[in-house]
Amino acid sequence: MKMLVGLGNPGSKYEKTRHNIGFRFLDLLAKTEGLSFGSAPRFQADTATTTMNGEKVLLVKPQTFMNNSGESVAPLAKYYDIEPSNITVIYDDLDLPSGKLRIKSGGGHGGHNGLRSLNQHLPNADYTRVKIGIGRPPSGDITPWVLGGADEGDHAVELRLFDALLPQIPLLILGERDKAANKIHQTLQS
């Protein structure tokens, strides 16, 4: 079994914030696949299950708030016996400009509190990261930026990235990161 995690904060207050880009992507994927999320209170998560390329895939939206995402993801991974290398995490990245997307495996948290929590609770940090750029604010504190709503331009850029990423999720699930990244890049260049 594989796990696809979208990071965000629960509740309608946060739905449209930059920080909830992972939740929005999983919502789009679920809609495309005809899935609906159900509550898994034991794991503090909303989950859905599907099959891609013959692999069973658990979609996870932690309901612990971003900074405690590992408290949801790690128990689910343990329960379903999913190694970190079989987990893909989609999240916002301040250090990437809006409209950019990067895929990598393993590494540190880079100051992202959701990843910090995952790294603390999972046995290792070998999961795949799909970083979706939100850019940094022109000045000042980053908290109002990440918890602020994206404007119409940001929304259009987000949808363009989602359209490029969505068809490549089956490749990512199979561990074909480079192939998926190349196809996404080609789509975004056209």
Side-chain angles (χ1 to χ4, degrees), residues 13-64:
K13 174 182 175 183
Y14 298 102
E15 265 177 34
K16 297 182 181 182
T17 65
R18 290 177 180 90
H19 225 16
N20 272 40
I21 209 162
F23 276 17
R24 286 194 297 280
F25 180 78
L26 281 197
D27 288 340
L28 175 65
L29 176 62
K31 183 179 175 186
T32 304
E33 296 283 318
L35 306 171
S36 56
F37 282 92
S39 179
R42 173 180 174 189
F43 298 106
Q44 303 178 79
D46 288 347
T47 64
T49 307
T50 190
T51 303
M52 294 180 184
N53 292 337
E55 292 276 0
K56 195 169 184 180
V57 181
L58 181 67
L59 278 58
V60 179
K61 295 192 303 184
Q63 299 298 295
T64 53

mmCIF file of all heavy atoms in Angstrom, residues 13-64:
data_model
loop_
_atom_site.group_PDB
_atom_site.id
_atom_site.type_symbol
_atom_site.label_atom_id
_atom_site.label_comp_id
_atom_site.label_asym_id
_atom_site.label_seq_id
_atom_site.Cartn_x
_atom_site.Cartn_y
_atom_site.Cartn_z
ATOM 1 N N LYS A 13 -12.107 27.942 8.071
ATOM 2 C CA LYS A 13 -11.307 29.162 8.237
ATOM 3 C C LYS A 13 -10.015 29.114 7.406
ATOM 4 O O LYS A 13 -9.518 30.138 6.959
ATOM 5 C CB LYS A 13 -10.979 29.321 9.724
ATOM 6 C CG LYS A 13 -10.045 30.458 10.062
ATOM 7 C CD LYS A 13 -9.760 30.495 11.562
ATOM 8 C CE LYS A 13 -8.732 31.554 11.906
ATOM 9 N NZ LYS A 13 -8.395 31.562 13.321
ATOM 10 N N TYR A 14 -9.485 27.898 7.197
ATOM 11 C CA TYR A 14 -8.190 27.741 6.532
ATOM 12 C C TYR A 14 -8.289 27.236 5.093
ATOM 13 O O TYR A 14 -7.279 27.184 4.393
ATOM 14 C CB TYR A 14 -7.308 26.772 7.330
ATOM 15 C CG TYR A 14 -7.004 27.257 8.718
ATOM 16 C CD1 TYR A 14 -7.683 26.743 9.823
ATOM 17 C CD2 TYR A 14 -6.055 28.247 8.932
ATOM 18 C CE1 TYR A 14 -7.414 27.196 11.101
ATOM 19 C CE2 TYR A 14 -5.774 28.707 10.211
ATOM 20 C CZ TYR A 14 -6.465 28.178 11.288
ATOM 21 O OH TYR A 14 -6.198 28.632 12.553
ATOM 22 N N GLU A 15 -9.485 26.879 4.647
ATOM 23 C CA GLU A 15 -9.665 26.241 3.343
ATOM 24 C C GLU A 15 -8.927 26.919 2.202
ATOM 25 O O GLU A 15 -8.305 26.269 1.382
ATOM 26 C CB GLU A 15 -11.157 26.207 2.977
ATOM 27 C CG GLU A 15 -11.840 24.930 3.338
ATOM 28 C CD GLU A 15 -13.326 24.984 3.022
ATOM 29 O OE1 GLU A 15 -13.721 25.631 2.024
ATOM 30 O OE2 GLU A 15 -14.088 24.386 3.790
ATOM 31 N N LYS A 16 -9.027 28.230 2.127
ATOM 32 C CA LYS A 16 -8.490 28.954 0.973
ATOM 33 C C LYS A 16 -7.126 29.593 1.227
ATOM 34 O O LYS A 16 -6.653 30.390 0.435
ATOM 35 C CB LYS A 16 -9.499 30.011 0.524
ATOM 36 C CG LYS A 16 -10.785 29.363 0.057
ATOM 37 C CD LYS A 16 -11.796 30.349 -0.428
ATOM 38 C CE LYS A 16 -13.025 29.552 -0.844
ATOM 39 N NZ LYS A 16 -14.075 30.344 -1.384
ATOM 40 N N THR A 17 -6.468 29.210 2.324
ATOM 41 C CA THR A 17 -5.161 29.786 2.623
ATOM 42 C C THR A 17 -4.069 29.134 1.784
ATOM 43 O O THR A 17 -4.238 28.020 1.272
ATOM 44 C CB THR A 17 -4.811 29.626 4.121
ATOM 45 O OG1 THR A 17 -4.667 28.230 4.418
ATOM 46 C CG2 THR A 17 -5.872 30.242 5.021
ATOM 47 N N ARG A 18 -2.957 29.824 1.655
ATOM 48 C CA ARG A 18 -1.819 29.278 0.914
ATOM 49 C C ARG A 18 -1.324 27.978 1.553
ATOM 50 O O ARG A 18 -0.885 27.068 0.859
ATOM 51 C CB ARG A 18 -0.684 30.304 0.872
ATOM 52 C CG ARG A 18 -0.991 31.501 0.010
ATOM 53 C CD ARG A 18 0.136 32.544 0.062
ATOM 54 N NE ARG A 18 -0.182 33.686 -0.777
ATOM 55 C CZ ARG A 18 -0.841 34.748 -0.353
ATOM 56 N NH1 ARG A 18 -1.224 34.838 0.914
ATOM 57 N NH2 ARG A 18 -1.107 35.737 -1.188
ATOM 58 N N HIS A 19 -1.398 27.913 2.875
ATOM 59 C CA HIS A 19 -0.904 26.754 3.615
ATOM 60 C C HIS A 19 -1.692 25.484 3.294
ATOM 61 O O HIS A 19 -1.212 24.384 3.543
ATOM 62 C CB HIS A 19 -1.010 27.060 5.115
ATOM 63 C CG HIS A 19 0.204 26.693 5.925
ATOM 64 N ND1 HIS A 19 1.451 26.428 5.394
ATOM 65 C CD2 HIS A 19 0.359 26.550 7.268
ATOM 66 C CE1 HIS A 19 2.299 26.152 6.359
ATOM 67 N NE2 HIS A 19 1.661 26.214 7.501
ATOM 68 N N ASN A 20 -2.911 25.606 2.790
ATOM 69 C CA ASN A 20 -3.773 24.441 2.565
ATOM 70 C C ASN A 20 -3.713 23.904 1.144
ATOM 71 O O ASN A 20 -4.605 23.171 0.718
ATOM 72 C CB ASN A 20 -5.221 24.762 2.953
ATOM 73 C CG ASN A 20 -5.469 24.478 4.415
ATOM 74 O OD1 ASN A 20 -4.617 24.755 5.256
ATOM 75 N ND2 ASN A 20 -6.611 23.920 4.732
ATOM 76 N N ILE A 21 -2.668 24.209 0.436
ATOM 77 C CA ILE A 21 -2.554 23.777 -0.953
ATOM 78 C C ILE A 21 -2.570 22.247 -1.070
ATOM 79 O O ILE A 21 -3.120 21.692 -2.015
ATOM 80 C CB ILE A 21 -1.311 24.416 -1.612
ATOM 81 C CG1 ILE A 21 -1.539 24.600 -3.098
ATOM 82 C CG2 ILE A 21 -0.035 23.673 -1.296
ATOM 83 C CD1 ILE A 21 -0.576 25.607 -3.731
ATOM 84 N N GLY A 22 -1.997 21.556 -0.088
ATOM 85 C CA GLY A 22 -1.992 20.083 -0.092
ATOM 86 C C GLY A 22 -3.401 19.517 0.028
ATOM 87 O O GLY A 22 -3.768 18.563 -0.671
ATOM 88 N N PHE A 23 -4.210 20.093 0.910
ATOM 89 C CA PHE A 23 -5.610 19.666 1.058
ATOM 90 C C PHE A 23 -6.375 19.903 -0.246
ATOM 91 O O PHE A 23 -7.131 19.043 -0.696
ATOM 92 C CB PHE A 23 -6.308 20.463 2.168
ATOM 93 C CG PHE A 23 -6.093 19.946 3.569
ATOM 94 C CD1 PHE A 23 -5.081 19.065 3.896
ATOM 95 C CD2 PHE A 23 -6.926 20.388 4.582
ATOM 96 C CE1 PHE A 23 -4.903 18.613 5.202
ATOM 97 C CE2 PHE A 23 -6.766 19.944 5.891
ATOM 98 C CZ PHE A 23 -5.755 19.063 6.200
ATOM 99 N N ARG A 24 -6.176 21.085 -0.850
ATOM 100 C CA ARG A 24 -6.915 21.405 -2.078
ATOM 101 C C ARG A 24 -6.554 20.449 -3.208
ATOM 102 O O ARG A 24 -7.415 20.041 -3.980
ATOM 103 C CB ARG A 24 -6.685 22.862 -2.484
ATOM 104 C CG ARG A 24 -7.440 23.841 -1.593
ATOM 105 C CD ARG A 24 -7.485 25.238 -2.182
ATOM 106 N NE ARG A 24 -6.188 25.873 -2.326
ATOM 107 C CZ ARG A 24 -5.527 26.461 -1.338
ATOM 108 N NH1 ARG A 24 -6.036 26.496 -0.106
ATOM 109 N NH2 ARG A 24 -4.357 27.041 -1.555
ATOM 110 N N PHE A 25 -5.264 20.077 -3.274
ATOM 111 C CA PHE A 25 -4.885 19.135 -4.322
ATOM 112 C C PHE A 25 -5.550 17.780 -4.091
ATOM 113 O O PHE A 25 -6.080 17.178 -5.030
ATOM 114 C CB PHE A 25 -3.363 18.967 -4.436
ATOM 115 C CG PHE A 25 -3.023 17.986 -5.515
ATOM 116 C CD1 PHE A 25 -3.073 18.370 -6.850
ATOM 117 C CD2 PHE A 25 -2.731 16.672 -5.212
ATOM 118 C CE1 PHE A 25 -2.820 17.460 -7.861
ATOM 119 C CE2 PHE A 25 -2.479 15.747 -6.216
ATOM 120 C CZ PHE A 25 -2.523 16.141 -7.540
ATOM 121 N N LEU A 26 -5.525 17.290 -2.865
ATOM 122 C CA LEU A 26 -6.157 15.985 -2.597
ATOM 123 C C LEU A 26 -7.661 16.035 -2.842
ATOM 124 O O LEU A 26 -8.243 15.059 -3.322
ATOM 125 C CB LEU A 26 -5.875 15.511 -1.171
ATOM 126 C CG LEU A 26 -4.521 14.882 -0.897
ATOM 127 C CD1 LEU A 26 -4.541 14.091 0.404
ATOM 128 C CD2 LEU A 26 -4.020 14.007 -2.010
ATOM 129 N N ASP A 27 -8.294 17.163 -2.544
ATOM 130 C CA ASP A 27 -9.728 17.308 -2.834
ATOM 131 C C ASP A 27 -9.988 17.196 -4.337
ATOM 132 O O ASP A 27 -10.943 16.546 -4.768
ATOM 133 C CB ASP A 27 -10.267 18.638 -2.304
ATOM 134 C CG ASP A 27 -10.379 18.661 -0.782
ATOM 135 O OD1 ASP A 27 -10.421 17.573 -0.162
ATOM 136 O OD2 ASP A 27 -10.418 19.771 -0.218
ATOM 137 N N LEU A 28 -9.124 17.822 -5.133
ATOM 138 C CA LEU A 28 -9.261 17.745 -6.587
ATOM 139 C C LEU A 28 -9.045 16.312 -7.070
ATOM 140 O O LEU A 28 -9.804 15.798 -7.901
ATOM 141 C CB LEU A 28 -8.268 18.689 -7.272
ATOM 142 C CG LEU A 28 -8.242 18.617 -8.807
ATOM 143 C CD1 LEU A 28 -9.570 19.080 -9.393
ATOM 144 C CD2 LEU A 28 -7.087 19.451 -9.349
ATOM 145 N N LEU A 29 -8.024 15.651 -6.556
ATOM 146 C CA LEU A 29 -7.747 14.268 -6.929
ATOM 147 C C LEU A 29 -8.933 13.368 -6.577
ATOM 148 O O LEU A 29 -9.365 12.549 -7.391
ATOM 149 C CB LEU A 29 -6.478 13.770 -6.235
ATOM 150 C CG LEU A 29 -6.110 12.302 -6.453
ATOM 151 C CD1 LEU A 29 -5.835 12.015 -7.926
ATOM 152 C CD2 LEU A 29 -4.900 11.927 -5.620
ATOM 153 N N ALA A 30 -9.468 13.540 -5.373
ATOM 154 C CA ALA A 30 -10.619 12.727 -4.939
ATOM 155 C C ALA A 30 -11.817 12.960 -5.859
ATOM 156 O O ALA A 30 -12.491 12.012 -6.277
ATOM 157 C CB ALA A 30 -10.980 13.050 -3.490
ATOM 158 N N LYS A 31 -12.057 14.214 -6.199
ATOM 159 C CA LYS A 31 -13.171 14.543 -7.089
ATOM 160 C C LYS A 31 -12.977 13.878 -8.450
ATOM 161 O O LYS A 31 -13.900 13.290 -9.013
ATOM 162 C CB LYS A 31 -13.283 16.064 -7.235
ATOM 163 C CG LYS A 31 -14.443 16.526 -8.075
ATOM 164 C CD LYS A 31 -14.488 18.047 -8.136
ATOM 165 C CE LYS A 31 -15.593 18.504 -9.078
ATOM 166 N NZ LYS A 31 -15.570 19.953 -9.272
ATOM 167 N N THR A 32 -11.764 13.955 -8.977
ATOM 168 C CA THR A 32 -11.438 13.361 -10.274
ATOM 169 C C THR A 32 -11.630 11.844 -10.266
ATOM 170 O O THR A 32 -12.087 11.261 -11.236
ATOM 171 C CB THR A 32 -9.975 13.697 -10.660
ATOM 172 O OG1 THR A 32 -9.818 15.111 -10.645
ATOM 173 C CG2 THR A 32 -9.609 13.164 -12.020
ATOM 174 N N GLU A 33 -11.283 11.224 -9.137
ATOM 175 C CA GLU A 33 -11.374 9.766 -9.009
ATOM 176 C C GLU A 33 -12.755 9.304 -8.527
ATOM 177 O O GLU A 33 -12.978 8.102 -8.378
ATOM 178 C CB GLU A 33 -10.310 9.259 -8.014
ATOM 179 C CG GLU A 33 -8.881 9.496 -8.452
ATOM 180 C CD GLU A 33 -8.412 8.523 -9.512
ATOM 181 O OE1 GLU A 33 -8.714 7.313 -9.402
ATOM 182 O OE2 GLU A 33 -7.763 8.974 -10.470
ATOM 183 N N GLY A 34 -13.649 10.258 -8.249
ATOM 184 C CA GLY A 34 -14.986 9.902 -7.750
ATOM 185 C C GLY A 34 -14.964 9.385 -6.321
ATOM 186 O O GLY A 34 -15.776 8.548 -5.940
ATOM 187 N N LEU A 35 -14.034 9.904 -5.519
ATOM 188 C CA LEU A 35 -13.878 9.471 -4.125
ATOM 189 C C LEU A 35 -14.437 10.523 -3.181
ATOM 190 O O LEU A 35 -14.510 11.699 -3.529
ATOM 191 C CB LEU A 35 -12.400 9.272 -3.795
ATOM 192 C CG LEU A 35 -11.587 8.358 -4.687
ATOM 193 C CD1 LEU A 35 -10.110 8.472 -4.338
ATOM 194 C CD2 LEU A 35 -12.060 6.925 -4.552
ATOM 195 N N SER A 36 -14.763 10.098 -1.984
ATOM 196 C CA SER A 36 -15.096 11.069 -0.941
ATOM 197 C C SER A 36 -14.308 10.687 0.311
ATOM 198 O O SER A 36 -14.085 9.506 0.583
ATOM 199 C CB SER A 36 -16.593 11.105 -0.657
ATOM 200 O OG SER A 36 -17.061 9.830 -0.306
ATOM 201 N N PHE A 37 -13.882 11.712 1.025
ATOM 202 C CA PHE A 37 -13.125 11.489 2.253
ATOM 203 C C PHE A 37 -14.063 11.140 3.396
ATOM 204 O O PHE A 37 -15.148 11.695 3.506
ATOM 205 C CB PHE A 37 -12.322 12.747 2.617
ATOM 206 C CG PHE A 37 -11.078 12.912 1.813
ATOM 207 C CD1 PHE A 37 -11.100 13.656 0.641
ATOM 208 C CD2 PHE A 37 -9.893 12.333 2.208
ATOM 209 C CE1 PHE A 37 -9.952 13.804 -0.122
ATOM 210 C CE2 PHE A 37 -8.733 12.478 1.453
ATOM 211 C CZ PHE A 37 -8.771 13.212 0.282
ATOM 212 N N GLY A 38 -13.597 10.231 4.231
ATOM 213 C CA GLY A 38 -14.310 9.891 5.452
ATOM 214 C C GLY A 38 -13.432 10.200 6.637
ATOM 215 O O GLY A 38 -12.199 10.234 6.518
ATOM 216 N N SER A 39 -14.051 10.420 7.769
ATOM 217 C CA SER A 39 -13.302 10.732 8.978
ATOM 218 C C SER A 39 -12.726 9.456 9.595
ATOM 219 O O SER A 39 -13.416 8.441 9.698
ATOM 220 C CB SER A 39 -14.219 11.433 9.983
ATOM 221 O OG SER A 39 -13.503 11.717 11.162
ATOM 222 N N ALA A 40 -11.463 9.517 9.979
ATOM 223 C CA ALA A 40 -10.800 8.430 10.695
ATOM 224 C C ALA A 40 -10.329 9.005 12.025
ATOM 225 O O ALA A 40 -9.148 9.336 12.188
ATOM 226 C CB ALA A 40 -9.639 7.876 9.883
ATOM 227 N N PRO A 41 -11.267 9.173 12.996
ATOM 228 C CA PRO A 41 -10.932 9.859 14.253
ATOM 229 C C PRO A 41 -9.763 9.223 15.013
ATOM 230 O O PRO A 41 -8.977 9.931 15.635
ATOM 231 C CB PRO A 41 -12.207 9.781 15.085
ATOM 232 C CG PRO A 41 -13.278 9.253 14.197
ATOM 233 C CD PRO A 41 -12.637 8.716 12.959
ATOM 234 N N ARG A 42 -9.656 7.909 14.936
ATOM 235 C CA ARG A 42 -8.571 7.214 15.639
ATOM 236 C C ARG A 42 -7.208 7.745 15.194
ATOM 237 O O ARG A 42 -6.248 7.772 15.969
ATOM 238 C CB ARG A 42 -8.688 5.719 15.353
ATOM 239 C CG ARG A 42 -7.555 4.899 15.860
ATOM 240 C CD ARG A 42 -7.775 3.439 15.525
ATOM 241 N NE ARG A 42 -6.613 2.654 15.882
ATOM 242 C CZ ARG A 42 -6.443 1.391 15.551
ATOM 243 N NH1 ARG A 42 -7.372 0.766 14.868
ATOM 244 N NH2 ARG A 42 -5.359 0.758 15.899
ATOM 245 N N PHE A 43 -7.133 8.163 13.917
ATOM 246 C CA PHE A 43 -5.868 8.641 13.359
ATOM 247 C C PHE A 43 -5.841 10.150 13.146
ATOM 248 O O PHE A 43 -4.898 10.679 12.557
ATOM 249 C CB PHE A 43 -5.583 7.930 12.029
ATOM 250 C CG PHE A 43 -5.439 6.446 12.180
ATOM 251 C CD1 PHE A 43 -6.442 5.595 11.753
ATOM 252 C CD2 PHE A 43 -4.313 5.901 12.781
ATOM 253 C CE1 PHE A 43 -6.319 4.226 11.901
ATOM 254 C CE2 PHE A 43 -4.181 4.533 12.935
ATOM 255 C CZ PHE A 43 -5.191 3.684 12.499
ATOM 256 N N GLN A 44 -6.887 10.837 13.620
ATOM 257 C CA GLN A 44 -6.977 12.287 13.463
ATOM 258 C C GLN A 44 -6.759 12.685 12.007
ATOM 259 O O GLN A 44 -5.938 13.549 11.689
ATOM 260 C CB GLN A 44 -5.949 12.999 14.356
ATOM 261 C CG GLN A 44 -6.077 12.662 15.828
ATOM 262 C CD GLN A 44 -5.010 13.354 16.629
ATOM 263 O OE1 GLN A 44 -5.128 14.538 16.923
ATOM 264 N NE2 GLN A 44 -3.949 12.642 16.991
ATOM 265 N N ALA A 45 -7.521 12.033 11.115
ATOM 266 C CA ALA A 45 -7.348 12.275 9.686
ATOM 267 C C ALA A 45 -8.655 12.073 8.938
ATOM 268 O O ALA A 45 -9.551 11.370 9.409
ATOM 269 C CB ALA A 45 -6.290 11.325 9.129
ATOM 270 N N ASP A 46 -8.733 12.694 7.775
ATOM 271 C CA ASP A 46 -9.748 12.372 6.787
ATOM 272 C C ASP A 46 -9.032 11.530 5.742
ATOM 273 O O ASP A 46 -7.933 11.895 5.294
ATOM 274 C CB ASP A 46 -10.333 13.631 6.147
ATOM 275 C CG ASP A 46 -11.246 14.394 7.100
ATOM 276 O OD1 ASP A 46 -11.627 13.835 8.157
ATOM 277 O OD2 ASP A 46 -11.575 15.554 6.794
ATOM 278 N N THR A 47 -9.631 10.397 5.378
ATOM 279 C CA THR A 47 -8.974 9.476 4.453
ATOM 280 C C THR A 47 -9.915 9.016 3.345
ATOM 281 O O THR A 47 -11.140 9.063 3.488
ATOM 282 C CB THR A 47 -8.440 8.223 5.182
ATOM 283 O OG1 THR A 47 -9.540 7.496 5.733
ATOM 284 C CG2 THR A 47 -7.459 8.589 6.284
ATOM 285 N N ALA A 48 -9.317 8.565 2.269
ATOM 286 C CA ALA A 48 -10.026 7.926 1.162
ATOM 287 C C ALA A 48 -9.058 6.903 0.582
ATOM 288 O O ALA A 48 -7.843 7.035 0.714
ATOM 289 C CB ALA A 48 -10.439 8.949 0.109
ATOM 290 N N THR A 49 -9.593 5.881 -0.050
ATOM 291 C CA THR A 49 -8.756 4.830 -0.631
ATOM 292 C C THR A 49 -9.096 4.656 -2.100
ATOM 293 O O THR A 49 -10.265 4.704 -2.476
ATOM 294 C CB THR A 49 -8.964 3.490 0.117
ATOM 295 O OG1 THR A 49 -8.771 3.706 1.512
ATOM 296 C CG2 THR A 49 -7.981 2.447 -0.346
ATOM 297 N N THR A 50 -8.062 4.450 -2.908
ATOM 298 C CA THR A 50 -8.245 4.206 -4.337
ATOM 299 C C THR A 50 -7.173 3.232 -4.799
ATOM 300 O O THR A 50 -6.322 2.806 -4.010
ATOM 301 C CB THR A 50 -8.189 5.529 -5.147
ATOM 302 O OG1 THR A 50 -8.605 5.277 -6.484
ATOM 303 C CG2 THR A 50 -6.810 6.151 -5.127
ATOM 304 N N THR A 51 -7.210 2.901 -6.066
ATOM 305 C CA THR A 51 -6.186 2.047 -6.671
ATOM 306 C C THR A 51 -5.613 2.769 -7.882
ATOM 307 O O THR A 51 -6.363 3.319 -8.691
ATOM 308 C CB THR A 51 -6.783 0.691 -7.097
ATOM 309 O OG1 THR A 51 -7.373 0.066 -5.947
ATOM 310 C CG2 THR A 51 -5.720 -0.227 -7.664
ATOM 311 N N MET A 52 -4.277 2.781 -7.975
ATOM 312 C CA MET A 52 -3.589 3.382 -9.120
ATOM 313 C C MET A 52 -2.509 2.422 -9.580
ATOM 314 O O MET A 52 -1.699 1.983 -8.763
ATOM 315 C CB MET A 52 -2.937 4.715 -8.729
ATOM 316 C CG MET A 52 -3.898 5.799 -8.376
ATOM 317 S SD MET A 52 -2.989 7.305 -7.950
ATOM 318 C CE MET A 52 -4.344 8.357 -7.480
ATOM 319 N N ASN A 53 -2.521 2.098 -10.860
ATOM 320 C CA ASN A 53 -1.531 1.167 -11.425
ATOM 321 C C ASN A 53 -1.443 -0.120 -10.604
ATOM 322 O O ASN A 53 -0.353 -0.643 -10.369
ATOM 323 C CB ASN A 53 -0.141 1.810 -11.519
ATOM 324 C CG ASN A 53 -0.082 2.921 -12.526
ATOM 325 O OD1 ASN A 53 -0.890 2.973 -13.444
ATOM 326 N ND2 ASN A 53 0.871 3.816 -12.369
ATOM 327 N N GLY A 54 -2.576 -0.593 -10.139
ATOM 328 C CA GLY A 54 -2.603 -1.832 -9.369
ATOM 329 C C GLY A 54 -2.170 -1.696 -7.926
ATOM 330 O O GLY A 54 -2.142 -2.678 -7.186
ATOM 331 N N GLU A 55 -1.832 -0.483 -7.506
ATOM 332 C CA GLU A 55 -1.405 -0.231 -6.121
ATOM 333 C C GLU A 55 -2.557 0.389 -5.338
ATOM 334 O O GLU A 55 -3.187 1.336 -5.805
ATOM 335 C CB GLU A 55 -0.231 0.754 -6.083
ATOM 336 C CG GLU A 55 1.053 0.226 -6.655
ATOM 337 C CD GLU A 55 1.851 -0.575 -5.649
ATOM 338 O OE1 GLU A 55 1.417 -0.726 -4.487
ATOM 339 O OE2 GLU A 55 2.919 -1.046 -6.039
ATOM 340 N N LYS A 56 -2.801 -0.129 -4.141
ATOM 341 C CA LYS A 56 -3.789 0.487 -3.263
ATOM 342 C C LYS A 56 -3.154 1.752 -2.681
ATOM 343 O O LYS A 56 -2.003 1.725 -2.229
ATOM 344 C CB LYS A 56 -4.182 -0.485 -2.150
ATOM 345 C CG LYS A 56 -5.433 -0.100 -1.426
ATOM 346 C CD LYS A 56 -5.916 -1.224 -0.526
ATOM 347 C CE LYS A 56 -7.223 -0.826 0.108
ATOM 348 N NZ LYS A 56 -7.746 -1.862 0.998
ATOM 349 N N VAL A 57 -3.903 2.870 -2.731
ATOM 350 C CA VAL A 57 -3.367 4.157 -2.287
ATOM 351 C C VAL A 57 -4.307 4.763 -1.249
ATOM 352 O O VAL A 57 -5.506 4.897 -1.489
ATOM 353 C CB VAL A 57 -3.207 5.136 -3.474
ATOM 354 C CG1 VAL A 57 -2.626 6.463 -2.999
ATOM 355 C CG2 VAL A 57 -2.345 4.529 -4.567
ATOM 356 N N LEU A 58 -3.740 5.127 -0.116
ATOM 357 C CA LEU A 58 -4.482 5.787 0.951
ATOM 358 C C LEU A 58 -4.233 7.282 0.848
ATOM 359 O O LEU A 58 -3.087 7.735 0.954
ATOM 360 C CB LEU A 58 -4.022 5.267 2.314
ATOM 361 C CG LEU A 58 -4.719 5.839 3.545
ATOM 362 C CD1 LEU A 58 -6.186 5.410 3.585
ATOM 363 C CD2 LEU A 58 -4.001 5.374 4.813
ATOM 364 N N LEU A 59 -5.288 8.066 0.599
ATOM 365 C CA LEU A 59 -5.202 9.521 0.571
ATOM 366 C C LEU A 59 -5.463 10.022 1.985
ATOM 367 O O LEU A 59 -6.430 9.585 2.619
ATOM 368 C CB LEU A 59 -6.249 10.107 -0.374
ATOM 369 C CG LEU A 59 -5.934 10.135 -1.866
ATOM 370 C CD1 LEU A 59 -5.658 8.746 -2.408
ATOM 371 C CD2 LEU A 59 -7.070 10.770 -2.631
ATOM 372 N N VAL A 60 -4.615 10.922 2.463
ATOM 373 C CA VAL A 60 -4.692 11.371 3.855
ATOM 374 C C VAL A 60 -4.631 12.892 3.954
ATOM 375 O O VAL A 60 -3.714 13.522 3.423
ATOM 376 C CB VAL A 60 -3.527 10.772 4.688
ATOM 377 C CG1 VAL A 60 -3.585 11.263 6.132
ATOM 378 C CG2 VAL A 60 -3.527 9.257 4.627
ATOM 379 N N LYS A 61 -5.612 13.444 4.672
ATOM 380 C CA LYS A 61 -5.578 14.858 5.057
ATOM 381 C C LYS A 61 -5.554 14.886 6.593
ATOM 382 O O LYS A 61 -6.579 14.691 7.233
ATOM 383 C CB LYS A 61 -6.810 15.607 4.531
ATOM 384 C CG LYS A 61 -6.877 15.677 3.020
ATOM 385 C CD LYS A 61 -7.923 16.647 2.498
ATOM 386 C CE LYS A 61 -9.313 16.367 2.988
ATOM 387 N NZ LYS A 61 -10.329 17.275 2.402
ATOM 388 N N PRO A 62 -4.364 15.084 7.199
ATOM 389 C CA PRO A 62 -4.291 15.122 8.660
ATOM 390 C C PRO A 62 -5.185 16.232 9.219
ATOM 391 O O PRO A 62 -5.225 17.327 8.666
ATOM 392 C CB PRO A 62 -2.817 15.418 8.939
ATOM 393 C CG PRO A 62 -2.094 15.010 7.696
ATOM 394 C CD PRO A 62 -3.055 15.280 6.574
ATOM 395 N N GLN A 63 -5.865 15.935 10.307
ATOM 396 C CA GLN A 63 -6.747 16.915 10.942
ATOM 397 C C GLN A 63 -6.157 17.427 12.254
ATOM 398 O O GLN A 63 -6.870 17.910 13.126
ATOM 399 C CB GLN A 63 -8.129 16.285 11.173
ATOM 400 C CG GLN A 63 -8.823 15.844 9.896
ATOM 401 C CD GLN A 63 -9.109 17.009 8.960
ATOM 402 O OE1 GLN A 63 -9.894 17.891 9.288
ATOM 403 N NE2 GLN A 63 -8.466 17.024 7.793
ATOM 404 N N THR A 64 -4.837 17.343 12.373
ATOM 405 C CA THR A 64 -4.120 17.712 13.599
ATOM 406 C C THR A 64 -3.621 19.142 13.592
ATOM 407 O O THR A 64 -2.965 19.558 14.533
ATOM 408 C CB THR A 64 -2.882 16.812 13.741
ATOM 409 O OG1 THR A 64 -2.135 16.899 12.521
ATOM 410 C CG2 THR A 64 -3.255 15.387 14.026
#
